[in-house]
Amino acid sequence: MAERLDMRQADFDARFAALLTAKREVAQDVDAAVAEIVADVRARGDAALIDYTRRFDRHEVAADGLAVTPEEIDAAVASCDAALLDALTLAAERIEAYHGRQRPEDGRVTDKSGVETGHRWTAVDAAGLYVPGGTAAYPSSVLMNAIPAKVAGVERLVIAVPAPDGVLNPHVLVAARIAGVDEIYRVGGAQAIAALAHGTRTIAPVAKIVGPGNAYVAAAKRRVFGTVGIDMIAGPSEVLVLADGANDPSWIAADLLAQAEHDASAQSILITDDADFADAVERAVDSQLETLPRAEIAGASWRDYGAVIVAPALGDAIGLVDRLAPEHLEIAARDAEELAARVRNAGAIFLGAYTPEAVGDYVGGPNHVLPTARSARFASGLNVLDFMKRTSILRCDAAALGEIGGAAITLARAEGLEAHARSVGIRINTA
Amino acid sequence: MAERLDMRQADFDARFAALLTAKREVAQDVDAAVAEIVADVRARGDAALIDYTRRFDRHEVAADGLAVTPEEIDAAVASCDAALLDALTLAAERIEAYHGRQRPEDGRVTDKSGVETGHRWTAVDAAGLYVPGGTAAYPSSVLMNAIPAKVAGVERLVIAVPAPDGVLNPHVLVAARIAGVDEIYRVGGAQAIAALAHGTRTIAPVAKIVGPGNAYVAAAKRRVFGTVGIDMIAGPSEVLVLADGANDPSWIAADLLAQAEHDASAQSILITDDADFADAVERAVDSQLETLPRAEIAGASWRDYGAVIVAPALGDAIGLVDRLAPEHLEIAARDAEELAARVRNAGAIFLGAYTPEAVGDYVGGPNHVLPTARSARFASGLNVLDFMKRTSILRCDAAALGEIGGAAITLARAEGLEAHARSVGIRINTA
């Protein structure tokens, strides 16, 4: 049973605060091991990758076998179920259309002082996408991570994916082909991150690394941050459903379970203004759990981290939503738009009873890589700008520098930076 | 003397690679000390701030004395030199005008399947700006960090600034007033970062922390990252000047020294197509050093990290520019625009002989907080989006979900996520 809270209870504030700060992940201390792996890959390159692959993924690979061949990808595509191929293609088209609208514009203006200012966006030259191996290898995540990079204009997009016991997930190869990935290497773990950041003879280095991974991958990303850019370190997934009593309890229960089945440390929270509806949803969760293949995981998540909060009215709960800053926010209520407009912090909002979060995981168009663990207070989902950077531009002629240069000299002297003052002054006095 | 390289020399590639990877900063291992300070501030709040302030800043402050009062700021403004006040005001106006053009737009579209997708930008609710104490307390940096936050719509903007021996830099207070900062606390170091991230009785927590600082501040920012957002960890500053022989050598020398005076580990590099011009610039640097107040610092930087590279033509050096990915790129050449258009990696570009980097430090308009240490390959200067986050929006009605839901079910089942499939299917079958 999930925890039940009521905003009208005397101890609500304390219990809600406890819910907010509950740790859902045990931090694994793998820093020392990861430091050694990264240093070894820097020192020995491909040879280190081969050794770690033998040790962790239990297969032999030669340096010239690290790259997945076009023929392997062809074979994966040829053996792919037609319905799955169609679904991946539809997802890719919709993701590309959505992210295409994120492409930023350059700009340049000349102001009344004659100073030209502007900015210019450029793509990172190469990006690496880590794809976990085994059961967590999601082809949908390949699309969600790769397509924004391609839309940004990244010329070289590289996937690193482990092949446990030598076996690659063929759906990952199909998704990579559809998304236009340029290179795929069968290497995983901290060693893959080290290779992407520092390069080896076989794998040229990239400027940005994205994608989810286990504790080793996360620690390696933190370690190489600065040498390359990284995306956010993802925590366990979470959904907050804001639903009024007019909903079908079984739909809302299904949404809570869709989140819970990801991981025993996932979190599903329902906020409703109807205590009877809350009871009905809880009963539906129990009933649906009976036939769910991943019932053990989903049940543990719901029992340990699930919560149902009853509010006097949904509008009264907006402050709670902002404090939770959920990765996913479903609003299934008649006034969904009005409620959404009042929310500040959420990674993604799903509006109305016919927008289950799961449709957004695959084919909605928006990205499913979203800020977790309350980081939607300051972070955004993965997007095209994550693969671009902005360069500012400034241009003065003699007259423009004459107009604004005096103020720069005053400020430089106030800061004790005389060489700054002189580099402006030498031009104004000559002009 | 700076190092001299020539692209035509046989050992150029090796020497350039060494220049690229030269470490200009000794990493100070302060992690253990910082971990203790952060934990102590979390546990004891204001009492810890008071203790660390006594120990590190050598003055006594009561909890109710941590906040700088409006009267103190009034006094700083009243005693501020009029020319400096005017210069700060001009700088603020120009920075605000430039950053105002960075405000992003929201969007919503309905596609042919009837699916509504969109995105919405919101400001972080509160941001903290760290301002270093003592000689590194630059009022220009207060403007550069605070104004983008205010343009973004941050409602609560807080400064933490140490007061060594109880003394605050009055120019910082003046700049904070001009920039519209809401609260100022006289506390510095890792303890200030801990207070901003976790909150104390006196200092409410923020969602994002920006601003430069020493090794303790940087380590504390890394530590609280995840609880709050942070900006990039800044390294030593650098300039790359691309100049043809038609320039006045003394102007270019002045620019190289303006960068070098920041810090003995700053780096100034000249790339030119004219070896005689290179000689003349080097002579001018030596001559200008003779009268520079910060000659010791600037001289050490130029001697230890300065470099002059002679290229057959400036266009031949674009590959070098992209590999260096300079924080500041000055292009003083007739074809400056054409050269700039070919550069991918630079934090900021200064075009033409009348645009010394120093004018951009103060009054150009673009931000002077820029990616250092080659991170312009993947990072941007501080901007309005750093204080905002994007929420994606998805809305289906029954018909739209009917159109795209089937593909979501196919993908969910391929990934072994049956509860995902059911949360879509339960709606399609009912619809």
Side-chain angles (χ1 to χ4, degrees):
Chain A
M1 286 295 289
E3 196 182 359
R4 177 73 74 99
L5 293 82
D6 190 311
M7 284 183 78
R8 281 159 294 207
Q9 280 164 341
D11 62 349
F12 176 78
D13 288 346
R15 289 181 65 199
F16 184 76
L19 186 70
L20 269 185
T21 53
K23 275 263 174 261
R24 289 186 283 136
E25 246 185 345
V26 182
Q28 238 186 303
D29 190 7
V30 298
D31 271 350
V34 165
E36 198 181 312
I37 293 170
V38 172
D40 193 23
V41 172
R42 287 190 75 169
R44 297 198 300 129
D46 289 339
L49 296 184
I50 291 166
D51 286 352
Y52 289 116
T53 298
R54 184 184 306 119
R55 193 158 125 202
F56 297 126
D57 296 334
R58 302 163 304 280
H59 68 101
E60 281 298 327
V61 62
D64 64 4
L66 283 168
V68 174
T69 64
E71 291 73 26
E72 288 176 272
I73 305 170
D74 290 342
V77 173
S79 68
C80 185
D81 176 75
L84 179 56
L85 203 55
D86 286 349
L88 284 169
T89 304
L90 176 72
E93 286 167 0
R94 295 188 56 85
I95 295 165
E96 189 176 347
Y98 181 82
H99 289 80
R101 291 193 293 276
Q102 293 178 344
R103 262 192 227 103
E105 286 182 12
D106 296 347
R108 190 86 85 92
V109 299
T110 304
D111 63 31
K112 61 177 168 28
S113 302
V115 181
E116 258 184 88
T117 60
H119 70 274
R120 205 182 65 183
W121 289 91
T122 45
V124 300
D125 58 1
L129 162 53
Y130 188 83
V131 178
T135 55
Y138 294 140
S140 60
S141 291
V142 172
L143 300 182
M144 291 289 182
N145 281 275
I147 291 172
K150 280 292 167 188
V151 169
V154 173
E155 287 159 16
R156 179 172 163 260
L157 179 56
V158 182
I159 278 183
V161 55
D165 301 305
V167 180
L168 285 172
N169 180 327
H171 298 163
V172 164
L173 303 188
V174 174
R177 168 69 59 83
I178 290 172
V181 170
D182 300 288
E183 303 165 21
I184 307 177
Y185 298 99
R186 64 189 103 233
V187 59
Q191 59 272 24
I193 302 299
L196 290 170
H198 295 292
T200 70
R201 185 182 291 267
T202 300
I203 305 178
V206 301
K208 178 104 187 188
I209 300 176
V210 301
N214 64 16
Y216 288 83
V217 170
K221 282 169 69 180
R222 272 186 197 272
R223 181 161 290 271
V224 300
F225 174 56
T227 299
V228 297
I230 62 168
D231 58 353
M232 304 258 340
I233 307 288
S237 196
E238 70 223 10
V239 72
L240 173 57
V241 182
L242 214 58
D244 61 27
N247 283 279
D248 183 330
S250 67
W251 293 16
I252 301 302
D255 300 350
L256 297 169
L257 286 172
Q259 199 62 39
E261 79 170 337
H262 270 293
D263 189 333
S265 43
Q267 183 168 50
S268 302
I269 300 178
L270 167 66
I271 299 184
T272 181
D273 54 357
D274 181 333
D276 293 337
F277 177 74
D279 294 339
V281 170
E282 294 210 57
R283 282 193 303 271
V285 165
D286 290 341
S287 150
Q288 292 178 23
L289 267 172
E290 285 170 20
T291 62
L292 205 60
R294 293 167 69 91
E296 202 173 327
I297 293 168
S301 157
W302 180 242
R303 185 178 64 242
D304 295 341
Y305 302 112
V308 175
I309 302 175
V310 179
L314 292 184
D316 295 333
I318 300 298
L320 307 182
V321 175
D322 278 341
R323 287 169 71 192
L324 284 162
E327 181 189 11
H328 306 107
L329 173 64
E330 267 188 42
I331 309 184
R334 214 174 353 171
D335 51 349
E337 288 280 359
E338 290 72 15
L339 290 167
R342 291 173 55 198
V343 171
R344 183 195 290 267
N345 300 331
I349 300 180
F350 304 85
L351 289 168
Y354 283 95
T355 318
E357 188 272 324
V359 78
D361 277 342
Y362 295 111
V363 293
N367 212 286
H368 79 197
V369 180
L370 293 164
T372 57
R374 305 186 60 220
S375 63
R377 290 173 299 125
F378 53 82
S380 307
L382 192 71
N383 62 78
V384 168
L385 299 189
D386 287 323
F387 297 96
M388 305 187 80
K389 61 260 176 9
R390 186 203 306 254
T391 299
S392 65
I393 296 167
L394 185 63
R395 174 167 209 142
C396 296
D397 58 16
L401 189 66
E403 272 217 35
I404 66 170
I409 293 172
T410 300
L411 287 162
R413 294 221 162 105
E415 294 184 350
L417 297 175
E418 178 62 21
H420 281 62
R422 291 185 188 176
S423 93
V424 176
I426 199 170
R427 288 165 161 94
I428 296 184
N429 300 331
T430 312
Chain B
M1 287 293 292
E3 195 181 359
R4 175 74 75 100
L5 294 82
D6 190 311
M7 284 184 80
R8 282 159 297 206
Q9 280 164 342
D11 62 349
F12 176 78
D13 287 347
R15 289 181 65 199
F16 184 76
L19 185 70
L20 269 185
T21 53
K23 275 261 175 265
R24 289 186 282 136
E25 246 185 345
V26 181
Q28 237 185 303
D29 191 9
V30 298
D31 271 349
V34 165
E36 199 181 311
I37 293 169
V38 172
D40 194 24
V41 172
R42 286 189 75 169
R44 295 198 300 129
D46 289 339
L49 296 184
I50 291 165
D51 286 351
Y52 289 116
T53 298
R54 183 184 306 120
R55 193 158 125 201
F56 297 127
D57 296 334
R58 301 164 303 280
H59 68 101
E60 281 297 329
V61 62
D64 64 3
L66 283 169
V68 174
T69 63
E71 291 72 26
E72 288 176 273
I73 305 171
D74 290 343
V77 173
S79 69
C80 185
D81 175 74
L84 180 56
L85 202 55
D86 286 348
L88 283 168
T89 304
L90 176 71
E93 286 167 1
R94 295 189 56 86
I95 296 165
E96 189 176 348
Y98 181 83
H99 289 80
R101 291 193 294 276
Q102 293 178 344
R103 264 193 225 103
E105 285 181 12
D106 296 347
R108 190 86 84 93
V109 300
T110 303
D111 62 30
K112 60 179 167 32
S113 302
V115 181
E116 258 184 87
T117 60
H119 69 276
R120 204 182 66 181
W121 289 93
T122 45
V124 301
D125 58 2
L129 162 54
Y130 188 83
V131 178
T135 55
Y138 294 139
S140 60
S141 291
V142 172
L143 300 182
M144 291 288 182
N145 280 277
I147 291 171
K150 278 293 167 187
V151 169
V154 174
E155 285 160 19
R156 179 173 163 258
L157 179 57
V158 181
I159 279 183
V161 55
D165 302 305
V167 181
L168 286 172
N169 180 327
H171 298 163
V172 164
L173 303 188
V174 174
R177 168 69 58 85
I178 290 172
V181 170
D182 301 289
E183 303 165 19
I184 308 177
Y185 298 98
R186 63 190 104 232
V187 59
Q191 60 273 22
I193 302 299
L196 290 170
H198 296 291
T200 69
R201 184 181 292 267
T202 300
I203 305 178
V206 301
K208 177 105 187 187
I209 299 176
V210 300
N214 64 16
Y216 287 82
V217 170
K221 281 169 67 180
R222 273 187 196 273
R223 181 161 289 271
V224 300
F225 174 56
T227 301
V228 296
I230 62 169
D231 58 352
M232 305 256 341
I233 306 288
S237 195
E238 69 225 10
V239 72
L240 173 57
V241 182
L242 216 57
D244 61 27
N247 283 280
D248 184 329
S250 66
W251 292 17
I252 302 302
D255 299 351
L256 296 169
L257 286 172
Q259 199 62 41
E261 78 170 338
H262 270 294
D263 189 333
S265 42
Q267 183 168 50
S268 302
I269 300 178
L270 167 66
I271 299 184
T272 181
D273 55 358
D274 183 331
D276 293 338
F277 177 74
D279 293 339
V281 170
E282 294 212 54
R283 284 192 301 271
V285 165
D286 290 341
S287 150
Q288 291 179 23
L289 268 172
E290 285 170 20
T291 61
L292 206 61
R294 292 166 71 92
E296 202 174 328
I297 292 167
S301 157
W302 181 242
R303 186 178 62 241
D304 295 342
Y305 302 111
V308 175
I309 301 175
V310 179
L314 292 184
D316 296 332
I318 300 298
L320 307 183
V321 174
D322 277 341
R323 286 170 70 193
L324 284 162
E327 182 189 10
H328 306 106
L329 173 64
E330 266 188 42
I331 309 184
R334 216 172 354 168
D335 51 349
E337 288 280 0
E338 291 74 14
L339 290 167
R342 292 172 54 201
V343 169
R344 183 195 291 265
N345 300 330
I349 301 181
F350 305 85
L351 289 168
Y354 283 94
T355 318
E357 187 273 322
V359 77
D361 277 342
Y362 295 111
V363 293
N367 212 286
H368 79 196
V369 180
L370 293 164
T372 58
R374 305 186 60 221
S375 63
R377 292 174 298 125
F378 53 81
S380 307
L382 192 71
N383 63 77
V384 168
L385 300 188
D386 288 324
F387 297 96
M388 304 187 80
K389 61 256 174 16
R390 184 204 306 255
T391 300
S392 65
I393 296 167
L394 184 65
R395 173 167 211 143
C396 296
D397 57 17
L401 189 66
E403 272 218 33
I404 66 170
I409 292 172
T410 300
L411 286 162
R413 295 222 161 104
E415 293 184 351
L417 296 175
E418 178 63 20
H420 281 62
R422 292 185 188 176
S423 93
V424 176
I426 199 171
R427 288 164 163 94
I428 295 184
N429 300 332
T430 313

